[in-house]
Amino acid sequence: MKMVNLIINNVKVTVEENTSILKAAKKFNMNIPTLCYYEDLGIKSDCRVCVVQVEGKKGLVSSCSTPVSEGMVVYTNSARVLNARKTIVELILSNHDVKCTTCIKNMRCELQNLAKNLGIDENRFPSVFERQPIDDNNPSIVRDPNLCIKCGRCVDVCNNVQGTSVLAFYGRGHETRVSAVFDEHLSDAFCTLCGQCASVCPVGAITEKDDTDLVWKALADPNKHVIVQVAPAVRVSLGEEVGQKIGTIVTGKMVSAMKILGFDQVFDTDFTADLTILEEGNELIHRITNGGVLPMMTSCCPGWINFAETRYPDILDHISSCKSPQQMFGSLAKSFYPQKIGLDPKDIFVVSVMPCTAKKYEAKRTEMSVDGENPDIDVVLTTRELGKMIKQMGIDFENLDEKPFDSPFGITTGAGAIFGATGGVMEAAIRTVYEVVNKKPLESLDFKELRGLEGIKEAEINLNGTMVKVAVAHTLSMAKVLSEQVRNGTSPYTFIEIMTCPGGCIGGGGQPYGTTNKTRLDRISAIYEVDAGMPLRKSHENPEVLALYKDFLKEPLGKLSHHLLHTYYHNRNNKSQTR
Amino acid sequence: MLLKEVLKKYQRKEDNLIEILLDYQAIKSNHYISKEEIIEIAEYLSLPESKVCSVLTFYTFFSDKPRGKHIIQVCKDVPCYISSQVNVLKTIEKELGIRVNETTQNQQFTLEFTSCIGCCEAGPAMRINDKIYTNLTADKIKAILSEYRVYMQ
């Protein structure tokens, strides 16, 4: 690798050639402010906030897109640079709905932060901002174009990471705007509601729909028995919302915090993840032994279901009929649980905390209702919303005691925990399917080839002497690759796991802001640490799950299981569109 | 001519998008590409519809809304703006009784802005259909418009 010598702010530095000035400066502890730049995404140089002065160059250059060169002399904070940067941000603000104190991103907005750091206490430019309608026509995502600064991160994620191509730039010049295709509502534009756009938006232009008020209201209602379930990925990311290091495991403190918030019972979605493995594993075995439709594809990810229903309606019978762990919990919470504690299901208010925005939509699907009338899950909160409630309540999170989850949905296994990472559902399923079919214990429970951030991962397992190929994909671009094979009948696999978000649920659209691949890897390590530290690591050894079958469900794929834990999918491609 | 026949002339290559849009819009009576046509073109080229929309709305040559027989495009870039003794847009709006991005009731004129049309040295400038008019004054604008009005009668 060729090295290049240059001077940044009078500091002599040496970096690899083709490094951008931005990265070179960062490497030597000089952070240049940015707005459209986002680690792991494409370089846009849209916003011009990262401009720097290079000796010998007439104009200022954007440091994100300009590579270093030998002998270059760079100033990242000269008077000229500061003045230009300030002007740029003032111009952006002049076309922005400046309502910071009432904005959902108040104190976590990159534009607000930048304005503060640049010392903008007054805008020299008059506002040219014109109000446009807000799109909040779906249960998951709110898009407020009045706050959009046209940085293009959402368009990049939607097109290049997810390959969903819902969001795009329209028009040109200062009239450029970001919109869903044909200016439709997201709900009509085949949006999968994955929320990756919300997770990278630097301002409040795309956010999750905030449902915290509904939860506060339920918690204050003495007639409601309010229970909550927490998804596997939340325990390794919630810490970031309350000032802890990335990848900190906060399970016990999180349970304590939720008790203080006032939840009557705090349950673990890992429990229904274990249940999912028993149902889904048996479904797989059933499909293999009875000539059913193969490959079977996982069904826990609601973004993937939205994707398949709109883009691949012809392969829906490949998708497991199992409800997601969230919805299995919902069914039990409105059937088994009220029976057990002697309450009317109508008095039970079920909250989910998910790393996901699409889960809000999933909970609102009409088929996700045991009584056919009321939703099984009343409200879904994202990790960020739970963080917000903890802060609203003024809880000193760091000093909380650790508490265990409540029974009967409290004992879980490592297999349930790893649902939160890409490859985890597959690994958990193999741990069970292998032992059920081969009737002998696995030698090693760790399937390292299924872990990590590679787009598509493969493994082979021996089921009674037959080698079976399985695959794991994360991001919808990768899901597309495997779905095309299934559609064309060329898929070499028997079982396929698909997760919409990069890295799986730990990188979900409802997770703490600032998620990068480095963050994802840290959260993934934490998840496997949770797994490794569990006394039980196989779903079929979960005693509470086994007791649930014995006392209530009877058997996997049985009549009651079928009624409560399985679902069906719809062809939602009513427009024969190619998105 | 049908869109299908236009498409047949082109290979299914992304690079042909602009050619197809230009070719087809030119032969369409109201000079625009409809949503259904966007879907058909996107499918033909295996492009996301949003990509076709982006390209279509980027270039002022194209429109996704029906337009009149004559398309008046007023340059709104800086050289034209500062060389103007006259507010070109206002003059035309007053003459035709429409605002920018509107079409006259008789479907004869559509008024739009355009970005630079390369006549900075002779601004202010505008384009009507394929013809460029430069060094505009209020009288000149009125005279040009009346020429087109004569044509249509």
Side-chain angles (χ1 to χ4, degrees), chain A residues 190-265:
Chain A
F190 287 3
C191 173
T192 65
L193 305 173
C194 74
Q196 285 300 311
C197 51
S199 124
V200 296
C201 180
V203 292
I206 309 183
T207 58
E208 71 271 29
K209 191 169 263 184
D210 189 327
D211 291 317
T212 51
D213 278 351
L214 295 173
V215 177
W216 284 123
K217 217 176 125 198
L219 288 170
D221 184 343
N223 299 320
K224 290 264 182 249
H225 178 77
V226 186
I227 63 174
V228 62
Q229 60 165 325
V230 197
V234 177
R235 68 207 62 192
V236 297
S237 61
L238 178 70
E240 294 164 45
E241 288 291 303
V242 289
Q244 312 248 320
K245 216 176 109 241
I246 295 169
T248 310
I249 302 165
V250 297
T251 321
K253 291 185 179 187
M254 175 179 76
V255 176
S256 290
M258 287 193 286
K259 295 267 178 187
I260 297 175
L261 288 174
F263 290 103
D264 292 304
Q265 298 282 298

Side-chain angles (χ1 to χ4, degrees), chain A residues 556-576:
Chain A
L557 309 183
K559 203 173 159 208
L560 198 52
S561 288
H562 194 78
H563 172 61
L564 291 175
L565 309 180
H566 290 254
T567 184
Y568 50 93
Y569 310 103
H570 312 269
N571 176 356
R572 287 199 275 142
N573 190 324
N574 51 350
K575 314 181 200 177
S576 70

Side-chain angles (χ1 to χ4, degrees), chain A residues 48 51 60 78-89:
Chain A
R48 317 301 296 175
V51 287
L60 301 176
S78 65
R80 191 177 158 210
V81 167
L82 285 180
N83 185 44
R85 216 173 263 157
K86 206 167 164 176
T87 306
I88 288 161
V89 173

Side-chain angles (χ1 to χ4, degrees), chain A residues 467-523:
Chain A
M467 292 309 280
V468 165
K469 274 185 104 165
V470 300
V472 169
H474 64 126
T475 74
L476 290 172
S477 301
M478 293 298 136
K480 208 182 250 181
V481 175
L482 297 186
S483 300
E484 283 294 327
Q485 292 176 348
V486 172
R487 170 175 278 173
N488 300 331
T490 56
S491 178
Y493 308 111
T494 302
F495 189 26
I496 294 172
E497 174 205 297
I498 291 183
M499 292 295 157
T500 296
C501 291
C505 309
I506 51 89
Q511 290 283 61
Y513 291 120
T515 303
T516 62
N517 279 341
K518 203 186 156 297
T519 324
R520 292 186 182 100
L521 287 170
D522 287 348
R523 292 182 193 150

Side-chain angles (χ1 to χ4, degrees), chain A residues 159 165-175 177 181-182 184 575-579, chain B residues 35 38-39 42-43 47-51 53-55 57-60 64 76 113 115:
Chain A
N159 288 271
S165 302
V166 172
L167 294 174
F169 277 120
Y170 282 63
R172 80 191 286 173
H174 79 276
E175 283 167 359
R177 62 205 163 83
V181 63
F182 299 124
E184 286 168 336
K575 314 181 200 177
S576 70
Q577 286 169 5
T578 52
R579 286 177 198 166
Chain B
K35 182 177 165 182
I38 292 172
I39 295 170
E43 201 184 337
L47 281 174
E49 289 148 14
S50 57
K51 180 88 181 173
C53 292
S54 277
V55 170
T57 57
F58 183 84
Y59 294 103
T60 44
D64 53 3
K76 63 163 182 186
F113 274 127
S115 41

Side-chain angles (χ1 to χ4, degrees), chain A residues 90 94 128 239 269 319 389:
Chain A
E90 281 176 282
S94 73
V128 292
T269 311
I319 300 177
M389 289 183 74

Side-chain angles (χ1 to χ4, degrees), chain A residues 46-94:
Chain A
D46 276 348
C47 74
R48 317 301 296 175
V49 162
C50 71
V51 287
V52 295
Q53 194 174 339
V54 175
E55 243 172 46
K57 291 232 174 182
K58 216 171 135 199
L60 301 176
V61 301
S62 55
S63 60
C64 65
S65 61
T66 310
V68 295
S69 61
E70 186 63 37
M72 198 180 232
V73 179
V74 180
Y75 298 97
T76 68
N77 264 302
S78 65
R80 191 177 158 210
V81 167
L82 285 180
N83 185 44
R85 216 173 263 157
K86 206 167 164 176
T87 306
I88 288 161
V89 173
E90 281 176 282
L91 284 168
I92 294 172
L93 286 169
S94 73

